[in-house]
């Protein structure tokens, strides 16, 4: 399979360049870019696994979330330049739903089929639960409620203030987990047989591959974004559906594949760290950074989502907390998360 992905990358990236220069049809471009991104994401997954073996699950999960979300950050910046505020907010919503329900669901489901009972750090799960509640209920819902009684200027000022606070708290959270309380909460994995693993690549090589893969994914994703309007008209997809489902899945393809790969190898600490850690990074870092960057764009972006988006994100957070707070997972819990994602996907498609 790795050889197939290698071939797809070697063909897909040059083909994307040719298709862009020769202005091939949007449908063909959409297919080429989508397949190429999936292939490149496999390299990011393998590189992340190598780093996780050397540095531990927290560092591995954090790096994967960071490199994966860099793609979406780049896509969103281009969208902001074009004034597509609705698409950017919808893609942020889709990232939260995709990471918690789709990635988390597939990880629990596929890992649970292979291993009946999988464990991960209950302390990390409870720590992340609090941050998820803050990120969605406090930082996303409050601007929506307060903005009902504010004009556009005050709403933007509120959004900027909240964004700064979220970035500071996110950085403090990293300092807490990686510095002051690193190793304080030991992972309990008595039922999981431990064995020494050799990484596929050295730490330096894996980091270089991660960086190059991110640059390649960013280029291909930028070309993919230009096809969304034509593809949406062709298939009858709304702007909201494209942002919530298509952009989010494509922009987060790297961590999607990585988390599932880790779960199927019974490395649930890494899988959960990728799925939930990426969600927190989107909500507490990427979204606030985009708000601040938008101040220098033609149209500023307030941190105000639509009611369906807020309800969907809040539901995803509550469901994820309820199934993960015990530090264990199984295939049925994964199927429940996937069912919720499909229900929301149908709803956004029909809006």
């Amino acid at each position: 399979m790795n050889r197939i992905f290698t071939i797809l990358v070697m063909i897909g990236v040059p083909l994307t360049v040719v298709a862009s220069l020769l202005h091939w049809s949007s449908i063909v471009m959409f297919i080429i870019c989508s397949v190429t991104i999936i292939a490149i994401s496999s390299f990011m997954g393998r590189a992340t696994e190598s780093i996780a073996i050397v540095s531990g699950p927290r560092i591995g999960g954090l790096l994967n979330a960071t490199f994966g979300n860099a793609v979406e950050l780049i896509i969103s910046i281009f969208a902001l330049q074009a004034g597509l505020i609705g698409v950017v907010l919808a893609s942020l919503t889709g990232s939260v739903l995709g990471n918690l329900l789709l990635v988390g669901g597939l990880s629990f489901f596929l890992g649970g089929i292979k291993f009946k009972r999988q464990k991960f750090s209950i302390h990390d799960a409870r720590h992340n639960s609090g941050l998820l509640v803050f990120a969605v209920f406090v930082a996303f819902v409050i601007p929506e409620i307060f903005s009902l009684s504010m004009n556009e200027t005050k709403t933007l000022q509120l959004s900027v203030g909240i964004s700064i606070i979220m970035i500071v708290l996110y950085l403090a959270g990293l300092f807490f987990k990686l510095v002051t309380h690193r190793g304080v909460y030991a992972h309990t994995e008595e039922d999981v047989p431990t064995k020494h693993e050799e990484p596929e690549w050295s730490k330096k090589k894996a980091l270089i591959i991660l960086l190059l893969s991110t640059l390649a994914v960013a280029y291909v994703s930028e070309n993919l974004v230009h096809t969304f309007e034509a593809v949406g008209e062709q298939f009858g997809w709304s702007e909201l559906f494209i942002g919530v489902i298509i952009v989010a899945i494509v922009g987060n393809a790297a961590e999607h594949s990585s988390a599932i790969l880790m779960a199927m190898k019974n490395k649930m600490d890494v899988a959960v760290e990728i799925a939930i850690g990426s969600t927190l990074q989107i909500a507490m870092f990427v979204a606030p950074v985009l708000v601040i960057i938008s101040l220098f764009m033609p149209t500023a972006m307030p941190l105000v989502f639509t009611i369906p988006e807020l309800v969907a994100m809040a539901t995803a957070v509550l469901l994820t907390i309820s199934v993960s707070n015990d530090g264990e997972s199984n295939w049925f819990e994964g199927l429940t998360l996937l069912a919720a994602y499909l229900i929301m996907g149908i709803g956004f498609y029909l809006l």
Side-chain angles (χ1 to χ4, degrees):
M1 184 60 73
N2 289 339
R3 181 175 296 178
I4 294 175
F5 283 135
T6 301
I7 294 173
L8 288 174
V9 170
M10 294 177 66
I11 295 175
V13 174
L15 205 57
T16 302
V17 176
V18 173
S20 176
L21 294 175
L22 298 181
H23 304 290
W24 288 5
S25 72
S26 296
I27 303 297
V28 174
M29 190 76 164
F30 176 82
I31 295 172
I32 292 174
C33 292
S34 297
V35 173
T36 303
I37 288 174
I38 293 172
I40 297 174
S41 70
S42 71
F43 280 87
M44 300 183 78
R46 290 159 61 193
T48 301
E49 184 180 10
S50 296
I51 296 173
I53 291 173
V54 176
S55 306
R58 292 184 177 182
I59 299 294
L62 174 63
L63 275 174
N64 186 272
T66 301
F67 277 85
N69 288 332
V71 177
E72 179 153 13
L73 182 62
I74 293 170
I75 293 174
S76 297
I77 290 174
F78 283 115
L80 284 176
Q81 283 183 327
L84 302 175
I85 305 299
V87 172
V88 175
L89 290 172
S91 69
L92 294 173
T93 301
S95 293
V96 172
L97 301 181
N99 285 316
L100 294 180
L101 301 180
L102 180 60
V103 178
L106 282 174
S107 298
F108 285 6
F109 180 71
L110 296 177
I113 290 177
K114 192 173 182 181
F115 306 95
K116 288 189 176 181
R117 185 179 178 217
Q118 293 184 290
K119 287 189 173 185
F120 48 90
S121 172
I122 191 171
H123 301 290
D124 283 348
R126 291 173 178 173
H127 172 77
N128 288 333
S129 295
L131 288 179
L132 283 173
V133 170
F134 171 84
V136 173
F137 284 90
V138 178
F140 285 173
V141 174
I142 283 182
E144 171 68 28
I145 301 301
F146 279 77
S147 66
L148 297 176
S149 303
M150 293 181 178
N151 56 32
E152 291 184 6
T153 301
K154 290 185 177 180
T155 299
L156 184 61
Q157 291 173 349
L158 175 66
S159 299
V160 171
I162 290 175
S163 297
I164 293 173
I165 294 171
M166 289 172 71
I167 292 173
V168 171
L169 186 65
Y170 177 74
L171 296 177
L174 293 181
F175 187 73
F176 173 85
K177 292 178 69 174
L178 302 178
V179 181
T180 66
H181 284 65
R182 182 178 184 178
V184 172
Y185 301 113
H187 294 180
T188 56
E189 298 180 342
E190 299 89 350
D191 298 335
V192 179
T194 57
K195 61 179 180 180
H196 179 70
E197 283 188 288
E198 290 294 331
E200 180 181 0
W201 299 314
S202 67
K203 189 174 183 179
K204 181 178 180 180
K205 183 178 180 180
L207 285 171
I208 292 173
I209 291 174
L210 264 181
L211 178 60
L212 293 177
S213 298
T214 301
L215 294 175
V217 168
Y219 173 77
V220 179
S221 297
E222 181 188 353
N223 284 278
L224 182 66
V225 168
H226 298 315
T227 69
F228 285 146
E229 185 176 352
V231 171
E233 292 178 358
Q234 181 75 22
F235 293 103
W237 294 342
S238 66
E239 186 179 273
L240 182 62
F241 178 79
I242 290 174
V244 171
I245 304 297
I246 307 301
V247 175
I249 290 178
V250 171
N252 293 281
E255 60 262 37
H256 289 188
S257 59
S258 299
I260 296 167
L261 177 67
M262 295 298 177
M264 294 183 70
K265 293 188 176 183
N266 206 23
K267 299 178 181 179
M268 288 306 295
D269 277 311
V270 185
V272 171
E273 186 67 26
I274 291 173
I276 297 182
S278 183
T279 304
L280 291 173
Q281 192 172 80
I282 284 288
M284 300 181 66
F285 186 76
V286 174
V289 165
L290 287 173
V291 170
I292 294 174
I293 291 177
S294 73
L295 299 176
F296 305 95
M297 298 290 181
T299 305
M301 182 184 77
L303 202 60
V304 177
F305 296 86
T306 64
I307 297 299
E309 289 172 331
L310 286 175
V311 171
M313 287 190 288
T315 302
V317 166
L318 292 175
L319 187 57
T320 300
I321 291 174
S322 66
V323 301
S324 66
N325 257 10
D326 59 354
E328 296 182 5
S329 64
N330 54 64
W331 69 264
F332 186 74
E333 290 179 340
L335 192 62
T336 303
L337 295 175
L338 289 174
Y341 184 79
L342 290 174
I343 290 171
M344 292 178 189
I346 293 172
F348 281 114
Y349 177 76
L350 296 175
L351 276 179

